[in-house]
Amino acid sequence: MVWFWILLVLVLLALLAVLALLPNKNARQRMEPFGAWRYAHRGLHDNDAGVPENSLPAFRKAVDGGYGIELDLHLTTDGKLVVFHDDVLDRVCGVSGRPDSMTFEELEQLSLLGTGERMPLFSEVLSVVDGKIPMIVEVKYQKNYDALCTAMMELLKDYKGLYCVESFHPYVVRWMKEHHPEIPRGLLSSRYEPKDSETGRVTFGMRLAQELLVNFLIRPDFVAYHHEYAPGVWGFKTARRLWHCPTVAWTVRSEAEEAKAREHFDVIIFERYLPAPRV
């Protein structure tokens, strides 16, 4: 009898885990328009050729080439939305500090990867894109993520182009679900290691996000996953096969990698090679 109850509990836990992976009920329909495009990671950049990542020239090249784009947002201390990936400035700008702890006036004095380009405002990127190509907008997590998301949606309220929003942090995705459920939203994830955490350890919350077991809180329209790790992750495989959750691969770096990723992903974010812009 004891074994019966243990088995019953295990079955119920497994059922709850499977149900926790459910995406938004209209996810495939909402993400269908995005599937015909390939997305240039941080714009169609070439750091060695003087076209740095997340720069206006990189986004112009993507528009001219007919590619979708993926980009990253931070909020400055004076309330400006800047397009920049890293949480710190060292790698790209060669100085210490964080983009979310400086004003835009301070940030625009910095060079991107030793070029003459500066960190662009999100409003400038929207002017370049002008609805011509779709965007995948990653919201970088900050303690004041509410202000960041509010500023982002204020800029996008009259924007007519196709876009979706994604973040590694479920709180951001939940904010989009609660405040702008009409906008396609996605959870970014990967196989986490201690180096990925500020504390040097993989937390329980990170494990839940890794296996997509936070989906029941946010009901994402898609999952964006590290393309090398996704095939071995139970939550990813189950969400895709059982619930047909739309999937986005990051970041694919060759035609061979793309061919392999296509077995598991609907949308490709790429860099370092030049595929056809449309599928």
Side-chain angles (χ1 to χ4, degrees):
M1 183 61 72
V2 173
W3 286 107
F4 169 79
W5 289 110
I6 292 175
L7 180 61
L8 180 61
V9 169
L10 292 175
V11 169
L12 289 174
L13 288 174
L15 179 60
L16 288 173
V18 168
L19 291 174
L21 298 170
L22 268 170
N24 188 20
K25 63 179 180 180
N26 298 317
R28 296 209 71 83
Q29 178 182 350
R30 282 156 62 90
M31 291 303 296
E32 185 175 358
F34 294 89
W37 300 76
R38 290 182 173 91
Y39 295 80
H41 187 228
R42 307 175 196 171
L44 197 60
H45 65 87
D46 185 341
N47 295 340
D48 295 333
V51 182
E53 63 185 63
N54 276 328
S55 68
L56 291 181
F59 297 127
R60 290 193 189 102
K61 284 187 65 177
V63 171
D64 292 343
Y67 295 96
I69 57 172
E70 180 271 351
L71 56 84
D72 312 273
L73 294 185
H74 286 277
L75 186 69
T76 66
T77 57
D78 54 344
K80 303 292 186 181
L81 279 175
V82 292
V83 179
F84 191 77
H85 175 266
D86 296 2
D87 292 331
V88 294
L89 299 166
D90 305 59
R91 179 182 68 88
V92 176
C93 298
V95 299
S96 298
R98 298 176 56 93
D100 59 2
S101 65
M102 300 175 72
T103 67
F104 177 64
E105 183 177 0
E106 291 172 321
L107 291 173
E108 72 175 340
Q109 307 305 314
L110 305 177
S111 167
L112 298 179
L113 294 168
T115 68
E117 297 300 323
R118 63 172 177 80
M119 196 180 303
L121 290 166
F122 187 39
S123 58
E124 294 177 306
V125 176
L126 292 180
S127 294
V128 168
V129 174
D130 194 28
K132 297 170 186 173
I133 56 172
M135 300 186 301
I136 300 175
V137 181
E138 179 182 345
V139 175
K140 309 302 287 187
Y141 183 75
Q142 299 176 196
K143 290 182 179 179
N144 61 338
Y145 69 90
D146 181 90
L148 193 163
C149 291
T150 299
M152 173 183 68
M153 296 312 301
E154 179 64 23
L155 279 178
L156 288 167
K157 67 180 182 181
D158 297 319
Y159 183 73
K160 304 303 182 184
L162 182 65
Y163 71 93
C164 59
V165 175
E166 65 179 9
S167 181
F168 277 99
H169 293 271
Y171 286 169
V172 171
V173 187
R174 186 177 65 180
W175 189 98
M176 291 299 300
K177 174 179 179 289
E178 293 174 351
H179 293 86
H180 289 278
E182 76 280 7
I183 304 302
R185 58 188 179 269
L187 178 68
L188 273 159
S189 193
S190 182
R191 187 180 68 195
Y192 289 113
E193 300 177 5
K195 65 180 178 62
D196 300 317
S197 171
E198 292 182 358
T199 64
R201 62 186 180 85
V202 178
T203 65
F204 179 67
M206 292 171 69
R207 291 296 186 200
L208 290 178
Q210 173 180 294
E211 294 293 341
L212 310 182
L213 291 172
V214 296
N215 280 9
F216 75 99
L217 292 172
I218 59 180
R219 288 290 182 255
D221 293 293
F222 65 96
V223 167
Y225 218 96
H226 192 302
H227 74 97
E228 293 179 342
Y229 300 144
V233 175
W234 171 84
F236 178 90
K237 292 187 294 185
T238 304
R240 178 164 174 79
R241 294 175 183 174
L242 183 61
W243 301 126
H244 307 292
C245 180
T247 51
V248 176
W250 62 270
T251 298
V252 176
R253 294 186 168 92
S254 70
E255 291 182 354
E257 286 188 1
E258 179 175 339
K260 189 174 181 180
R262 282 291 176 190
E263 299 175 12
H264 309 282
F265 293 93
D266 304 299
V267 175
I268 301 295
I269 298 173
F270 74 92
E271 67 178 11
R272 299 183 189 173
Y273 73 109
L274 203 63
R278 305 291 290 269
V279 177

